[in-house]
Amino acid sequence: MPIGIIINSFSIILGGILGGFLGHLLSEDFKKQITLIFGVCSMAMGIPSISQMANMPAVILTIILGTSLGLIFHFNEKINFAAALMQRPIAKFPQQELTLSHEEFMSTLVTIIVLFCASGTGIFGSLTEGMTGDHTILIAKSILDFFTAAIFACNIGYVVAVIAIPQFIVFFCLFLIAAVIFPLTTPSMILDFKACGGFLMLATGFRMIKVKMFPTADMIPAMLLVMPISWIWTTWIVPLLG
């Protein structure tokens, strides 16, 4: 039973609904300042994972290759299109008057889709729960996601709650295939996988505080490449260098 995944999805739904309903009661300054705090939290979650990487060259190579693939195949545009589709079903629900421009709305939506659906913590937590039944990682993530969803919903409305649907699908698929993936991994591969997710979380944090709009959506393919590249590096490259 994917308890952690279910709790995580419900935390986003509840946070999104609460924020969309009560967002008009919060001042714009409060929303802006608290978003900065969530950006710092995102970066703080990513930094420890990055520091534990086992093979730095392999992770750096993965980030570059994965982001290049994302840019070549316009991964960001595909997520923008999917985000626009997610907005349509909730158009009939009453929402507060949004002050964001369309470009700001879509940029924020892409940021939180990556934050909720493609974080290293969430993906690793789903794999861990699928293999060992340990759901504590996802429950801890759910606490932050609840408040994050609520604050973002204050700015962009109820569409935040809908993100729980693709998040559940992604995490549940990882949960199902965990039994196949984990026996094939090594401790080094896991550490490099978490480090890759840490880079994604760090870039997401910079987007949230609007320091630099990193192409976080285009970085997602790196999460698929990091384990194979880590294994190749450890098995083939390191012996040659030694």
Side-chain angles (χ1 to χ4, degrees):
M1 187 71 175
I3 297 175
I5 296 174
I6 294 173
I7 292 175
N8 200 185
S9 295
F10 270 106
S11 72
I12 294 174
I13 293 173
L14 294 176
I17 293 175
L18 183 65
F21 183 69
L22 300 177
H24 65 283
L25 300 177
L26 301 177
S27 68
E28 290 301 319
D29 183 67
F30 177 86
K31 297 175 187 178
K32 180 179 179 180
Q33 299 302 328
I34 202 67
T35 300
L36 295 178
I37 298 302
F38 284 127
V40 172
C41 290
S42 177
M43 289 187 283
M45 291 173 64
I47 291 172
S49 297
I50 294 173
S51 66
Q52 297 176 30
M53 74 176 82
N55 301 287
M56 183 183 293
V59 175
I60 298 301
L61 177 62
T62 299
I63 295 293
I64 295 173
L65 290 179
T67 305
S68 297
L69 288 176
L71 292 170
I72 291 171
F73 292 103
H74 306 290
F75 210 76
N76 182 65
E77 294 179 10
K78 291 178 173 60
I79 290 185
N80 275 333
F81 179 74
L85 292 179
M86 284 195 296
Q87 184 189 7
R88 295 177 185 175
I90 56 97
K92 57 184 178 181
F93 289 96
Q95 299 189 57
Q96 70 272 24
E97 188 69 25
L98 300 180
T99 59
L100 298 177
S101 66
H102 177 72
E103 290 74 17
E104 290 176 323
F105 174 86
M106 295 305 296
S107 176
T108 303
L109 193 56
V110 169
T111 296
I112 57 178
I113 287 173
V114 173
L115 183 65
F116 289 148
C117 302
S119 71
T121 304
I123 295 174
F124 181 68
S126 300
L127 292 172
T128 300
E129 183 175 29
M131 187 63 182
T132 67
D134 180 9
H135 45 256
T136 56
I137 297 174
L138 289 176
I139 291 178
K141 179 178 180 293
S142 299
I143 297 173
L144 179 60
D145 283 356
F146 171 79
F147 291 103
T148 304
I151 294 300
F152 273 114
C154 291
N155 291 324
I156 68 173
Y158 296 111
V159 69
V160 173
V162 184
I163 298 175
I165 297 174
Q167 189 222 45
F168 179 84
I169 294 173
V170 170
F171 286 4
F172 187 64
C173 288
L174 291 171
F175 175 85
L176 294 177
I177 65 175
V180 177
I181 294 177
F182 263 72
L184 303 176
T185 64
T186 65
S188 295
M189 291 168 65
I190 295 297
L191 290 175
D192 289 342
F193 177 81
K194 293 178 68 176
C196 186
F199 276 102
L200 208 62
M201 293 294 286
L202 189 63
T204 299
F206 279 113
R207 283 182 66 102
M208 292 170 70
I209 63 176
K210 298 183 178 180
V211 170
K212 188 69 176 180
M213 302 304 287
F214 284 92
T216 49
D218 293 314
M219 294 170 68
I220 292 177
M223 298 295 292
L224 304 175
L225 299 177
V226 62
M227 283 191 177
I229 291 179
S230 176
W231 180 83
I232 291 172
W233 185 270
T234 303
T235 305
W236 295 348
I237 307 300
V238 171
L240 290 176
L241 296 177

